[in-house]
Amino acid sequence: MDILTIGEAAAELGLSPRTLRGQAKNGKLAATQVGRMWLVTRAEVARYKREHLGRFKGSPTYKLPVVRMRGLTPKVRPSGDYKVNATVAGRRRSFYGATAEEVITNVAAARAAAMQETK
């Protein structure tokens, strides 16, 4: 059984040690405090990654890019696809896609089509 410090686990997860200490105090990460040091098993890090970061890190939908279009940030749905609500031609619409880039592309295409229709 591999035992990691919170700092090592944080580096592996791409989070700050402060975040993981907070998660341990809230009971979302099973860690043990020994003096001032927090220790966590590698298996617990894998479980935390799968359950709490699964939609963003360590899953097929990882690599969530910071894709934005005038304040639009696609949200990951429980089904693993992405959704964003956007206003196109004065109407609020929902756009869905397998990736964040696909959703933003769909919004851009809808906006471009709306612009062409108004010309």
Side-chain angles (χ1 to χ4, degrees), residues 20-56:
L20 283 188
R21 278 192 298 274
Q23 296 295 339
K25 290 176 185 177
N26 291 334
K28 292 182 180 177
L29 176 71
T32 304
Q33 187 173 10
V34 179
R36 293 183 60 174
M37 186 179 353
W38 285 86
L39 302 174
V40 63
T41 64
R42 189 170 299 280
E44 176 61 17
V45 170
R47 183 204 62 80
Y48 180 84
K49 187 178 200 178
R50 188 175 54 253
E51 292 180 13
H52 295 280
L53 301 178
R55 292 175 297 189
F56 302 103

mmCIF file of all heavy atoms in Angstrom, residues 20-56:
data_model
loop_
_atom_site.group_PDB
_atom_site.id
_atom_site.type_symbol
_atom_site.label_atom_id
_atom_site.label_comp_id
_atom_site.label_asym_id
_atom_site.label_seq_id
_atom_site.Cartn_x
_atom_site.Cartn_y
_atom_site.Cartn_z
ATOM 1 N N LEU A 20 -7.014 19.849 -0.972
ATOM 2 C CA LEU A 20 -7.133 18.473 -0.494
ATOM 3 C C LEU A 20 -7.262 18.404 1.022
ATOM 4 O O LEU A 20 -7.993 17.561 1.539
ATOM 5 C CB LEU A 20 -5.949 17.629 -0.963
ATOM 6 C CG LEU A 20 -5.995 17.194 -2.414
ATOM 7 C CD1 LEU A 20 -4.876 16.205 -2.707
ATOM 8 C CD2 LEU A 20 -7.323 16.583 -2.777
ATOM 9 N N ARG A 21 -6.565 19.270 1.739
ATOM 10 C CA ARG A 21 -6.739 19.293 3.200
ATOM 11 C C ARG A 21 -8.185 19.636 3.551
ATOM 12 O O ARG A 21 -8.788 19.036 4.444
ATOM 13 C CB ARG A 21 -5.781 20.301 3.839
ATOM 14 C CG ARG A 21 -4.398 19.761 4.042
ATOM 15 C CD ARG A 21 -3.554 20.656 4.933
ATOM 16 N NE ARG A 21 -3.350 21.987 4.373
ATOM 17 C CZ ARG A 21 -2.387 22.308 3.516
ATOM 18 N NH1 ARG A 21 -1.532 21.393 3.115
ATOM 19 N NH2 ARG A 21 -2.270 23.527 3.059
ATOM 20 N N GLY A 22 -8.750 20.588 2.835
ATOM 21 C CA GLY A 22 -10.155 20.943 3.056
ATOM 22 C C GLY A 22 -11.082 19.778 2.751
ATOM 23 O O GLY A 22 -12.036 19.513 3.484
ATOM 24 N N GLN A 23 -10.799 19.038 1.664
ATOM 25 C CA GLN A 23 -11.612 17.882 1.306
ATOM 26 C C GLN A 23 -11.483 16.791 2.371
ATOM 27 O O GLN A 23 -12.448 16.095 2.674
ATOM 28 C CB GLN A 23 -11.198 17.331 -0.062
ATOM 29 C CG GLN A 23 -11.439 18.281 -1.206
ATOM 30 C CD GLN A 23 -12.916 18.569 -1.429
ATOM 31 O OE1 GLN A 23 -13.785 17.831 -1.020
ATOM 32 N NE2 GLN A 23 -13.193 19.671 -2.091
ATOM 33 N N ALA A 24 -10.291 16.640 2.934
ATOM 34 C CA ALA A 24 -10.095 15.645 4.002
ATOM 35 C C ALA A 24 -10.875 16.048 5.252
ATOM 36 O O ALA A 24 -11.530 15.217 5.883
ATOM 37 C CB ALA A 24 -8.605 15.508 4.320
ATOM 38 N N LYS A 25 -10.839 17.331 5.591
ATOM 39 C CA LYS A 25 -11.587 17.807 6.767
ATOM 40 C C LYS A 25 -13.084 17.676 6.567
ATOM 41 O O LYS A 25 -13.822 17.451 7.523
ATOM 42 C CB LYS A 25 -11.209 19.258 7.072
ATOM 43 C CG LYS A 25 -9.800 19.403 7.600
ATOM 44 C CD LYS A 25 -9.419 20.859 7.797
ATOM 45 C CE LYS A 25 -7.967 20.975 8.216
ATOM 46 N NZ LYS A 25 -7.527 22.360 8.342
ATOM 47 N N ASN A 26 -13.555 17.819 5.318
ATOM 48 C CA ASN A 26 -14.988 17.690 5.019
ATOM 49 C C ASN A 26 -15.427 16.244 4.844
ATOM 50 O O ASN A 26 -16.605 15.982 4.625
ATOM 51 C CB ASN A 26 -15.345 18.471 3.752
ATOM 52 C CG ASN A 26 -15.245 19.951 3.956
ATOM 53 O OD1 ASN A 26 -15.383 20.437 5.072
ATOM 54 N ND2 ASN A 26 -14.995 20.689 2.892
ATOM 55 N N GLY A 27 -14.482 15.315 4.872
ATOM 56 C CA GLY A 27 -14.827 13.910 4.749
ATOM 57 C C GLY A 27 -14.939 13.401 3.319
ATOM 58 O O GLY A 27 -15.344 12.262 3.099
ATOM 59 N N LYS A 28 -14.573 14.203 2.347
ATOM 60 C CA LYS A 28 -14.649 13.763 0.948
ATOM 61 C C LYS A 28 -13.403 12.991 0.535
ATOM 62 O O LYS A 28 -13.416 12.283 -0.457
ATOM 63 C CB LYS A 28 -14.855 14.959 0.023
ATOM 64 C CG LYS A 28 -16.204 15.596 0.210
ATOM 65 C CD LYS A 28 -16.414 16.736 -0.744
ATOM 66 C CE LYS A 28 -17.791 17.341 -0.522
ATOM 67 N NZ LYS A 28 -18.014 18.490 -1.370
ATOM 68 N N LEU A 29 -12.340 13.134 1.283
ATOM 69 C CA LEU A 29 -11.095 12.420 1.035
ATOM 70 C C LEU A 29 -10.688 11.760 2.346
ATOM 71 O O LEU A 29 -10.550 12.436 3.367
ATOM 72 C CB LEU A 29 -10.004 13.391 0.562
ATOM 73 C CG LEU A 29 -8.619 12.808 0.345
ATOM 74 C CD1 LEU A 29 -8.626 11.916 -0.894
ATOM 75 C CD2 LEU A 29 -7.589 13.910 0.184
ATOM 76 N N ALA A 30 -10.525 10.443 2.312
ATOM 77 C CA ALA A 30 -10.126 9.715 3.522
ATOM 78 C C ALA A 30 -8.622 9.879 3.720
ATOM 79 O O ALA A 30 -7.822 9.268 3.018
ATOM 80 C CB ALA A 30 -10.500 8.247 3.409
ATOM 81 N N ALA A 31 -8.257 10.740 4.632
ATOM 82 C CA ALA A 31 -6.851 11.002 4.920
ATOM 83 C C ALA A 31 -6.670 11.009 6.429
ATOM 84 O O ALA A 31 -7.612 11.229 7.186
ATOM 85 C CB ALA A 31 -6.434 12.340 4.324
ATOM 86 N N THR A 32 -5.447 10.754 6.858
ATOM 87 C CA THR A 32 -5.132 10.722 8.274
ATOM 88 C C THR A 32 -4.145 11.825 8.592
ATOM 89 O O THR A 32 -3.162 12.002 7.867
ATOM 90 C CB THR A 32 -4.503 9.358 8.638
ATOM 91 O OG1 THR A 32 -5.401 8.326 8.242
ATOM 92 C CG2 THR A 32 -4.234 9.260 10.110
ATOM 93 N N GLN A 33 -4.397 12.524 9.670
ATOM 94 C CA GLN A 33 -3.491 13.583 10.075
ATOM 95 C C GLN A 33 -2.550 13.027 11.139
ATOM 96 O O GLN A 33 -2.981 12.485 12.154
ATOM 97 C CB GLN A 33 -4.248 14.783 10.623
ATOM 98 C CG GLN A 33 -3.340 15.964 10.891
ATOM 99 C CD GLN A 33 -4.126 17.203 11.286
ATOM 100 O OE1 GLN A 33 -5.309 17.152 11.541
ATOM 101 N NE2 GLN A 33 -3.435 18.328 11.332
ATOM 102 N N VAL A 34 -1.254 13.125 10.883
ATOM 103 C CA VAL A 34 -0.231 12.693 11.831
ATOM 104 C C VAL A 34 0.569 13.930 12.181
ATOM 105 O O VAL A 34 1.368 14.407 11.379
ATOM 106 C CB VAL A 34 0.681 11.603 11.207
ATOM 107 C CG1 VAL A 34 1.753 11.183 12.204
ATOM 108 C CG2 VAL A 34 -0.135 10.426 10.747
ATOM 109 N N GLY A 35 0.293 14.475 13.346
ATOM 110 C CA GLY A 35 0.907 15.751 13.711
ATOM 111 C C GLY A 35 0.365 16.831 12.802
ATOM 112 O O GLY A 35 -0.837 17.048 12.725
ATOM 113 N N ARG A 36 1.265 17.468 12.073
ATOM 114 C CA ARG A 36 0.828 18.496 11.125
ATOM 115 C C ARG A 36 0.763 17.975 9.695
ATOM 116 O O ARG A 36 0.414 18.699 8.781
ATOM 117 C CB ARG A 36 1.793 19.677 11.184
ATOM 118 C CG ARG A 36 1.723 20.409 12.508
ATOM 119 C CD ARG A 36 2.605 21.596 12.512
ATOM 120 N NE ARG A 36 2.205 22.516 11.446
ATOM 121 C CZ ARG A 36 2.714 23.704 11.254
ATOM 122 N NH1 ARG A 36 3.660 24.126 12.057
ATOM 123 N NH2 ARG A 36 2.310 24.470 10.280
ATOM 124 N N MET A 37 1.119 16.695 9.509
ATOM 125 C CA MET A 37 1.169 16.119 8.172
ATOM 126 C C MET A 37 -0.083 15.274 7.913
ATOM 127 O O MET A 37 -0.551 14.547 8.778
ATOM 128 C CB MET A 37 2.406 15.225 8.045
ATOM 129 C CG MET A 37 2.606 14.704 6.670
ATOM 130 S SD MET A 37 4.075 13.644 6.434
ATOM 131 C CE MET A 37 4.974 13.699 7.918
ATOM 132 N N TRP A 38 -0.632 15.423 6.699
ATOM 133 C CA TRP A 38 -1.768 14.609 6.272
ATOM 134 C C TRP A 38 -1.254 13.520 5.352
ATOM 135 O O TRP A 38 -0.459 13.776 4.442
ATOM 136 C CB TRP A 38 -2.781 15.467 5.518
ATOM 137 C CG TRP A 38 -3.588 16.352 6.392
ATOM 138 C CD1 TRP A 38 -3.267 17.599 6.829
ATOM 139 C CD2 TRP A 38 -4.862 16.062 6.934
ATOM 140 N NE1 TRP A 38 -4.263 18.110 7.614
ATOM 141 C CE2 TRP A 38 -5.275 17.174 7.689
ATOM 142 C CE3 TRP A 38 -5.715 14.969 6.856
ATOM 143 C CZ2 TRP A 38 -6.482 17.225 8.359
ATOM 144 C CZ3 TRP A 38 -6.927 15.016 7.517
ATOM 145 C CH2 TRP A 38 -7.291 16.133 8.266
ATOM 146 N N LEU A 39 -1.736 12.274 5.564
ATOM 147 C CA LEU A 39 -1.338 11.143 4.746
ATOM 148 C C LEU A 39 -2.570 10.513 4.118
ATOM 149 O O LEU A 39 -3.636 10.453 4.732
ATOM 150 C CB LEU A 39 -0.604 10.101 5.594
ATOM 151 C CG LEU A 39 0.648 10.593 6.317
ATOM 152 C CD1 LEU A 39 1.186 9.505 7.231
ATOM 153 C CD2 LEU A 39 1.702 11.013 5.316
ATOM 154 N N VAL A 40 -2.404 10.039 2.888
ATOM 155 C CA VAL A 40 -3.504 9.430 2.145
ATOM 156 C C VAL A 40 -2.942 8.274 1.320
ATOM 157 O O VAL A 40 -1.798 8.327 0.879
ATOM 158 C CB VAL A 40 -4.214 10.488 1.260
ATOM 159 C CG1 VAL A 40 -3.289 11.054 0.226
ATOM 160 C CG2 VAL A 40 -5.453 9.934 0.626
ATOM 161 N N THR A 41 -3.737 7.237 1.142
ATOM 162 C CA THR A 41 -3.274 6.098 0.342
ATOM 163 C C THR A 41 -3.468 6.391 -1.142
ATOM 164 O O THR A 41 -4.337 7.173 -1.526
ATOM 165 C CB THR A 41 -4.036 4.805 0.695
ATOM 166 O OG1 THR A 41 -5.407 4.968 0.350
ATOM 167 C CG2 THR A 41 -3.888 4.462 2.164
ATOM 168 N N ARG A 42 -2.663 5.719 -1.953
ATOM 169 C CA ARG A 42 -2.777 5.886 -3.398
ATOM 170 C C ARG A 42 -4.141 5.401 -3.897
ATOM 171 O O ARG A 42 -4.731 5.985 -4.798
ATOM 172 C CB ARG A 42 -1.661 5.134 -4.115
ATOM 173 C CG ARG A 42 -1.602 5.454 -5.594
ATOM 174 C CD ARG A 42 -0.359 4.903 -6.253
ATOM 175 N NE ARG A 42 0.895 5.416 -5.733
ATOM 176 C CZ ARG A 42 1.431 6.595 -6.068
ATOM 177 N NH1 ARG A 42 0.811 7.385 -6.900
ATOM 178 N NH2 ARG A 42 2.580 6.982 -5.563
ATOM 179 N N ALA A 43 -4.679 4.359 -3.251
ATOM 180 C CA ALA A 43 -6.005 3.852 -3.624
ATOM 181 C C ALA A 43 -7.079 4.910 -3.345
ATOM 182 O O ALA A 43 -8.021 5.074 -4.126
ATOM 183 C CB ALA A 43 -6.317 2.566 -2.867
ATOM 184 N N GLU A 44 -6.934 5.629 -2.233
ATOM 185 C CA GLU A 44 -7.900 6.677 -1.904
ATOM 186 C C GLU A 44 -7.787 7.840 -2.888
ATOM 187 O O GLU A 44 -8.794 8.435 -3.271
ATOM 188 C CB GLU A 44 -7.691 7.174 -0.471
ATOM 189 C CG GLU A 44 -8.589 8.316 -0.070
ATOM 190 C CD GLU A 44 -10.077 7.979 -0.134
ATOM 191 O OE1 GLU A 44 -10.459 6.809 -0.177
ATOM 192 O OE2 GLU A 44 -10.882 8.944 -0.125
ATOM 193 N N VAL A 45 -6.584 8.143 -3.325
ATOM 194 C CA VAL A 45 -6.394 9.197 -4.331
ATOM 195 C C VAL A 45 -7.085 8.791 -5.627
ATOM 196 O O VAL A 45 -7.785 9.594 -6.258
ATOM 197 C CB VAL A 45 -4.889 9.488 -4.558
ATOM 198 C CG1 VAL A 45 -4.684 10.400 -5.753
ATOM 199 C CG2 VAL A 45 -4.283 10.099 -3.314
ATOM 200 N N ALA A 46 -6.943 7.520 -6.007
ATOM 201 C CA ALA A 46 -7.593 7.028 -7.225
ATOM 202 C C ALA A 46 -9.115 7.089 -7.081
ATOM 203 O O ALA A 46 -9.823 7.466 -8.020
ATOM 204 C CB ALA A 46 -7.149 5.604 -7.519
ATOM 205 N N ARG A 47 -9.631 6.717 -5.891
ATOM 206 C CA ARG A 47 -11.081 6.775 -5.661
ATOM 207 C C ARG A 47 -11.575 8.211 -5.728
ATOM 208 O O ARG A 47 -12.567 8.525 -6.366
ATOM 209 C CB ARG A 47 -11.442 6.181 -4.291
ATOM 210 C CG ARG A 47 -12.965 6.150 -4.052
ATOM 211 C CD ARG A 47 -13.314 6.144 -2.579
ATOM 212 N NE ARG A 47 -12.873 7.335 -1.867
ATOM 213 C CZ ARG A 47 -13.514 8.518 -1.871
ATOM 214 N NH1 ARG A 47 -14.592 8.691 -2.589
ATOM 215 N NH2 ARG A 47 -13.046 9.539 -1.172
ATOM 216 N N TYR A 48 -10.855 9.117 -5.089
ATOM 217 C CA TYR A 48 -11.236 10.524 -5.089
ATOM 218 C C TYR A 48 -11.232 11.074 -6.522
ATOM 219 O O TYR A 48 -12.142 11.768 -6.936
ATOM 220 C CB TYR A 48 -10.274 11.330 -4.216
ATOM 221 C CG TYR A 48 -10.610 12.796 -4.164
ATOM 222 C CD1 TYR A 48 -11.558 13.265 -3.276
ATOM 223 C CD2 TYR A 48 -10.001 13.707 -5.020
ATOM 224 C CE1 TYR A 48 -11.890 14.616 -3.235
ATOM 225 C CE2 TYR A 48 -10.322 15.047 -4.985
ATOM 226 C CZ TYR A 48 -11.260 15.492 -4.096
ATOM 227 O OH TYR A 48 -11.599 16.814 -4.059
ATOM 228 N N LYS A 49 -10.195 10.716 -7.268
ATOM 229 C CA LYS A 49 -10.075 11.168 -8.655
ATOM 230 C C LYS A 49 -11.267 10.679 -9.477
ATOM 231 O O LYS A 49 -11.855 11.421 -10.246
ATOM 232 C CB LYS A 49 -8.771 10.619 -9.223
ATOM 233 C CG LYS A 49 -8.391 11.102 -10.580
ATOM 234 C CD LYS A 49 -7.043 10.483 -10.935
ATOM 235 C CE LYS A 49 -6.347 11.225 -12.016
ATOM 236 N NZ LYS A 49 -5.041 10.643 -12.309
ATOM 237 N N ARG A 50 -11.624 9.414 -9.282
ATOM 238 C CA ARG A 50 -12.726 8.818 -10.041
ATOM 239 C C ARG A 50 -14.079 9.403 -9.649
ATOM 240 O O ARG A 50 -14.889 9.736 -10.495
ATOM 241 C CB ARG A 50 -12.711 7.300 -9.789
ATOM 242 C CG ARG A 50 -13.636 6.496 -10.611
ATOM 243 C CD ARG A 50 -13.466 4.992 -10.377
ATOM 244 N NE ARG A 50 -13.561 4.608 -8.975
ATOM 245 C CZ ARG A 50 -12.529 4.240 -8.200
ATOM 246 N NH1 ARG A 50 -11.319 4.196 -8.693
ATOM 247 N NH2 ARG A 50 -12.703 3.926 -6.940
ATOM 248 N N GLU A 51 -14.314 9.581 -8.354
ATOM 249 C CA GLU A 51 -15.630 10.020 -7.893
ATOM 250 C C GLU A 51 -15.828 11.528 -7.882
ATOM 251 O O GLU A 51 -16.915 12.014 -8.159
ATOM 252 C CB GLU A 51 -15.909 9.460 -6.496
ATOM 253 C CG GLU A 51 -16.096 7.961 -6.488
ATOM 254 C CD GLU A 51 -16.369 7.414 -5.118
ATOM 255 O OE1 GLU A 51 -16.670 8.195 -4.184
ATOM 256 O OE2 GLU A 51 -16.271 6.186 -4.968
ATOM 257 N N HIS A 52 -14.796 12.269 -7.532
ATOM 258 C CA HIS A 52 -14.966 13.710 -7.378
ATOM 259 C C HIS A 52 -14.398 14.517 -8.537
ATOM 260 O O HIS A 52 -14.809 15.643 -8.760
ATOM 261 C CB HIS A 52 -14.355 14.194 -6.065
ATOM 262 C CG HIS A 52 -15.061 13.650 -4.873
ATOM 263 N ND1 HIS A 52 -16.236 14.181 -4.407
ATOM 264 C CD2 HIS A 52 -14.796 12.584 -4.078
ATOM 265 C CE1 HIS A 52 -16.649 13.486 -3.368
ATOM 266 N NE2 HIS A 52 -15.795 12.506 -3.148
ATOM 267 N N LEU A 53 -13.451 13.942 -9.242
ATOM 268 C CA LEU A 53 -12.875 14.662 -10.375
ATOM 269 C C LEU A 53 -13.166 13.939 -11.670
ATOM 270 O O LEU A 53 -12.684 14.319 -12.714
ATOM 271 C CB LEU A 53 -11.349 14.795 -10.213
ATOM 272 C CG LEU A 53 -10.876 15.522 -8.969
ATOM 273 C CD1 LEU A 53 -9.364 15.528 -8.922
ATOM 274 C CD2 LEU A 53 -11.406 16.934 -8.934
ATOM 275 N N GLY A 54 -13.961 12.895 -11.619
ATOM 276 C CA GLY A 54 -14.216 12.050 -12.769
ATOM 277 C C GLY A 54 -14.727 12.792 -13.976
ATOM 278 O O GLY A 54 -14.450 12.429 -15.105
ATOM 279 N N ARG A 55 -15.507 13.843 -13.760
ATOM 280 C CA ARG A 55 -16.041 14.565 -14.907
ATOM 281 C C ARG A 55 -15.017 15.506 -15.499
ATOM 282 O O ARG A 55 -15.192 16.013 -16.577
ATOM 283 C CB ARG A 55 -17.280 15.341 -14.499
ATOM 284 C CG ARG A 55 -18.423 14.421 -14.148
ATOM 285 C CD ARG A 55 -19.552 15.211 -13.637
ATOM 286 N NE ARG A 55 -19.105 15.872 -12.419
ATOM 287 C CZ ARG A 55 -19.896 16.514 -11.602
ATOM 288 N NH1 ARG A 55 -21.155 16.626 -11.861
ATOM 289 N NH2 ARG A 55 -19.446 17.077 -10.519
ATOM 290 N N PHE A 56 -13.940 15.767 -14.757
ATOM 291 C CA PHE A 56 -12.969 16.717 -15.252
ATOM 292 C C PHE A 56 -11.588 16.118 -15.423
ATOM 293 O O PHE A 56 -10.948 16.328 -16.404
ATOM 294 C CB PHE A 56 -12.865 17.921 -14.310
ATOM 295 C CG PHE A 56 -14.174 18.599 -14.130
ATOM 296 C CD1 PHE A 56 -14.914 18.421 -12.989
ATOM 297 C CD2 PHE A 56 -14.692 19.381 -15.132
ATOM 298 C CE1 PHE A 56 -16.130 19.035 -12.836
ATOM 299 C CE2 PHE A 56 -15.912 19.995 -14.990
ATOM 300 C CZ PHE A 56 -16.630 19.824 -13.838
#
